[in-house]
Each structure stands twice: as C-alpha cells, then as structure tokens.
Amino acid sequence: MASEKALDFLRRRLCDSSFVYSAFKSTPAGNYSKLKFLISNTITEACNNSVLLLGPRGCGKGAVVDMILEELKGEFPEIISVVRLNGLLHSDDNFAVKEIARQLCMEHKLLFSKMASSDDNSQFMIDMLRECGLAHKMIIFVLDEFDLFTQGKQRLLYSLLDAMQTLTSQSVVIGISFRLDADQLLEKRVRSRFSHRKLLFTPLSTEDMQSFDVKPKNILGDKKFKEILDVLSSVDNTISNICRFLYHAISWMHFESGLLTLDGFKNALSCMQRQPMLDKLQDASILEFYILVCMNRLGSREQNSFNFNSIMKEYKAIQDAYKTSDNYSWSVCLRAFEHLIERELISFLDNRMRSLSIEYRPVRLLLSSQELYQGLKSNAFCPAILLKLLNHESYR
C-alpha cells in the first residue's frame, strides 16, 4: 500500500541523523560551518586547536560533530584519526589514557598491550601525537560529557593539552557538554592551555519546529496544532525530542488517506507527556518534595556540587524563614534522602567516593525544573510554598 510506503519513508527519515540535522548545514554563519572551518583550517595549517560545544542535551552537538567528521574523512582520506571518550565511562584518568592508547592502536593497526601501565600509555599518547604530526596526520579527540572530565586532578586534560603545545603535534580537542560553565570548571594550569573557543547550541523556537514539514499545510495553520507545539516546546524543545514527537505522530497516521491528522498529533503529545520521572513523583512525600526543591534551588545558583548536609542547610533556612509545620528531624530527612536515591530521583555524582558517609557524598538532581513543577502541581497535598520556592522566590 502507498500509505505503508509513506510511513516507512517517514520513519527512515526521522531515524537518519544526517537528514534530521541537515538544517545546520544551510546556515553559513551557523555552528556547523564554524566548527567545520575550525577543523579544516587546523588540518591545512598543521596546527593545534580546542573548542567546547555547549548547550542542552538533544540540541545536535554530537550529531554536528559526526556529520563534520564524516565529511572531512572524505575530503582528507588517511589523514584524520578520531579518538572518542565519554565522561560517563572514562572520567578516571588512568582508564581514559588506556582507552586512548587502545583506540590509537586500532586506528593505526598497532599491537595494543593490556598490561601497559598508565605512564606507558601516557607516553604512547604523546609519542603518537608527535609521530602523527611529523607525518602530517591529524588526531581529533572528541570528549563527550566534558564536564565529568574536570573532576579530580584533571591529569588527562592537562597531559593532552600540554602535549598539544609542541610544534610537532597536530590535533584538535572537541569537548561536548550541557553545562554552559564547563570551561570554568578547568583548573588554572589546564585553562591556560585551552583555546577558549566556545560554540553555543540552543533549542528550537516554535517557528523552527514548524519547519519540520512532514505535515499538511492546513494542519500547520491550525490554532490547535500551534497550541500542541507550544506545550511540547515548554517542556523540551530540543531536536531529539521533536523527532520523538514526530515519530509518535506518524504512528497515528490515517492509513486510508495516508495523511497525518490533528488527532494523531494530539495522541502523540499524550504519549510524550507520560514521563517516567513524573510517575516516580506520584507517591513522593511532602518531605521528599522539600528535599527536591532544595536541590533545585542549590542547582539554580550554579553550585558545582552539594551533599545532604548542604541540602539540610537550605531546608533549615526555608523553615526558619517561613515557620511551616513541615519541620522534620535530621534522621527523618536522611531516610527520605535515601529513599529518593533508591527511587532514582537523585543520584551520587561520583561513585569513587563510596568510602565517604552518605551525608558527605556529592549528589545531583535527576529531574528537570519543569518535571518537578509538574510533579508538585499534580500532588493534591503539596504546600503552596513549594511552588513559590521552585520559582526561586527569595527568603523574606
């Protein structure tokens, strides 16, 4: 059937990142053009460079890097080597250097020794940078979740950027992070070796969202459809989220006519609004909501890390300011804190600190402000003061 072919075509398009993110290529002064020029110029000029790609998750930072590297490998065959690290997997300096050595050995068809020490792997990385530079070959390091590499003593970043200071090396370091202050997390000795180039990726506007033209024009002009886009963008207007929405929408395509309908988009929005985090919040206690709001407030002040004790300081400040009846003991708060960890609403920032007592270990909030706001609004017993505090009302 023609409708089945159309459905298959749309699904393939939405699953093809090169198509989804192709709009980046059409803007001459956009991030795609800037990053490609920077890497191309580094190759032709035989120099070193570093850059940070910053912006919310799902805005296309990684996809843009993938598209550019794919094109440059075609333009400069047998010149580019790519090493990819992820802070979620390789934030440990020793393991990261070992992974760099493994990927470089695989790329250049060399024998990799699993028994090599960290110092041996570090020296191998430096030697490879020198040898590739002398052979006019480029090594590109892509560090995803870049902010996680800044934890600890930052030996990996220092060793890498310091090795790039030599005249013989020829490489680029591309850091990818959702944190806009990622460069401020660098130690002074590391920051002095970084080029301070930053490219900011922003979510789509409602007008940009309407440019994903897989819908009939009469739906685009419908007021109710625009309301659907407004609701969608208020929660998450990143490209990846828009693609998920469209994928849901085409699943509701009318097979007899082969057209997408307004009802289909409404059903897709309903599917998107079923968020697992909101389900976890349904049975949360008032005290647990207080802890989550305190964490959100601490995060909004751009505190790099906080633990149970700092959360309790924020909680006590709220109780002192508003004299609410929701004043619980330290031990009761600790049990609520542990319960939130069990339900995966918050998590420890670094598993390497397991030897520390739980109240001293840094944690992070796994909820967005919007998800927490929706969870508070949907709870019939939620104190009104929590909604005000979530909007960052200052103490009296």
Side-chain angles (χ1 to χ4, degrees):
M1 288 178 62
S3 57
E4 290 181 348
K5 291 182 179 180
L7 182 62
D8 181 61
F9 173 76
L10 290 174
R11 282 175 172 164
R12 280 190 281 109
R13 278 294 181 90
L14 290 174
C15 292
D16 182 3
S17 59
S18 61
F19 169 76
V20 171
Y21 295 96
S22 59
F24 282 106
K25 298 181 180 180
S26 61
T27 310
N31 289 334
Y32 178 92
S33 301
K34 291 177 181 177
L35 183 59
K36 186 177 180 182
F37 174 78
L38 184 146
I39 300 175
S40 301
N41 189 60
T42 304
I43 296 172
T44 55
E45 297 293 329
C47 58
N48 297 288
N49 248 316
S50 52
V51 62
L52 284 178
L53 311 186
L54 307 176
R57 300 187 191 279
C59 283
K61 303 184 294 295
V64 166
V65 172
D66 292 341
M67 288 191 296
I68 290 174
L69 293 181
E70 192 67 30
E71 287 191 15
L72 291 178
K73 283 183 177 180
E75 295 176 17
F76 302 96
E78 300 183 0
I79 290 180
I80 297 176
S81 299
V82 180
V83 174
R84 296 177 181 271
L85 299 179
N86 190 301
L88 293 171
L89 300 173
H90 310 115
S91 59
D92 179 80
D93 292 330
N94 294 334
F95 187 71
V97 173
K98 184 176 182 179
E99 179 62 17
I100 290 174
R102 188 192 68 81
Q103 291 189 33
L104 287 174
C105 285
M106 183 180 295
E107 188 80 18
H108 296 274
K109 299 179 180 179
L110 301 173
L111 183 63
F112 171 67
S113 173
K114 294 182 180 179
M115 304 303 293
S117 66
S118 180
D119 290 339
D120 291 337
N121 287 326
S122 295
Q123 188 59 48
F124 174 75
M125 177 184 72
I126 295 171
D127 292 341
M128 284 298 296
L129 283 170
R130 183 181 64 252
E131 293 300 323
C132 286
L134 293 172
H136 303 292
K137 292 187 176 182
M138 165 76 66
I139 300 179
I140 299 176
F141 296 89
V142 181
L143 307 183
D144 208 351
E145 303 291 347
F146 180 83
D147 51 288
L148 298 181
F149 288 99
T150 64
Q151 298 175 4
K153 297 182 179 180
Q154 303 184 12
R155 287 195 300 265
L156 169 69
L157 296 177
Y158 176 77
S159 299
L160 187 56
L161 293 171
D162 188 60
M164 290 168 56
Q165 303 303 308
T166 63
L167 295 174
T168 54
S169 68
Q170 189 176 342
S171 57
V172 177
V173 173
I174 303 173
I176 302 174
S177 177
F178 74 99
R179 291 193 58 164
L180 302 183
D181 63 341
D183 58 322
Q184 299 303 312
L185 303 176
L186 298 173
E187 292 180 354
K188 185 177 180 180
R189 60 173 185 160
V190 179
R191 194 181 302 132
S192 64
R193 288 163 171 77
F194 199 79
S195 66
H196 300 284
R197 291 183 177 86
K198 294 187 287 187
L199 296 178
L200 180 63
F201 287 70
T202 56
L204 296 173
S205 64
T206 304
E207 292 74 20
D208 293 330
M209 290 164 64
Q210 292 183 5
S211 69
F212 280 78
D213 192 6
V214 295
K215 306 165 282 294
K217 292 295 182 182
N218 60 333
I219 294 181
L220 277 174
D222 194 297
K223 183 180 178 181
K224 292 182 178 179
F225 177 73
K226 292 181 179 178
E227 290 175 356
I228 291 173
L229 288 185
D230 288 339
V231 172
L232 184 68
S233 62
S234 68
V235 177
D236 184 354
N237 57 348
T238 59
I239 295 176
S240 58
N241 193 55
I242 305 304
C243 288
R244 284 193 294 272
F245 169 69
L246 292 176
Y247 204 91
H248 280 295
I250 62 175
S251 299
W252 293 93
M253 189 173 73
H254 194 268
F255 267 83
E256 291 184 5
S257 64
L259 296 175
L260 299 172
T261 63
L262 185 61
D263 287 338
F265 286 105
K266 289 180 179 178
N267 291 330
L269 182 63
S270 298
C271 293
M272 295 291 291
Q273 290 177 325
R274 294 169 190 163
Q275 300 181 47
M277 285 299 184
L278 295 182
D279 293 338
K280 292 180 181 180
L281 283 173
Q282 286 183 355
D283 300 323
S285 67
I286 298 302
L287 176 55
E288 289 170 351
F289 275 125
Y290 266 102
I291 293 174
L292 293 173
V293 169
C294 288
M295 292 182 67
N296 184 272
R297 288 173 65 85
L298 291 171
S300 69
R301 296 174 197 153
E302 296 186 354
Q303 290 196 16
N304 291 339
S305 65
F306 41 84
N307 55 29
F308 176 74
N309 287 334
S310 54
I311 294 169
M312 284 300 97
K313 288 181 182 178
E314 180 76 9
Y315 174 69
K316 186 178 185 304
I318 292 173
Q319 298 304 320
D320 291 343
Y322 293 97
K323 310 296 182 186
T324 73
S325 59
D326 305 308
N327 198 349
Y328 299 91
S329 67
W330 187 91
S331 59
V332 173
C333 291
L334 183 59
R335 286 199 297 271
F337 180 76
E338 292 172 339
H339 190 225
L340 290 172
I341 294 174
E342 291 173 3
R343 300 182 69 174
E344 297 182 346
L345 289 167
I346 62 179
S347 70
F348 293 115
L349 196 61
D350 191 345
N351 286 327
R352 292 177 294 180
M353 299 183 180
R354 292 178 182 175
S355 59
L356 288 177
S357 180
I358 189 171
E359 60 266 29
Y360 297 107
R361 293 181 64 181
V363 291
R364 61 180 170 183
L365 184 61
L366 300 179
L367 288 164
S368 68
S369 297
Q370 184 66 29
E371 287 172 330
L372 182 53
Y373 178 78
Q374 290 179 2
L376 292 172
K377 285 199 69 175
S378 62
N379 189 297
F381 304 100
C382 173
I385 186 62
L386 282 178
L387 287 170
K388 291 181 180 179
L389 290 169
L390 187 64
N391 291 325
H392 315 308
E393 178 183 280
S394 60
Y395 303 134
R396 297 178 204 164

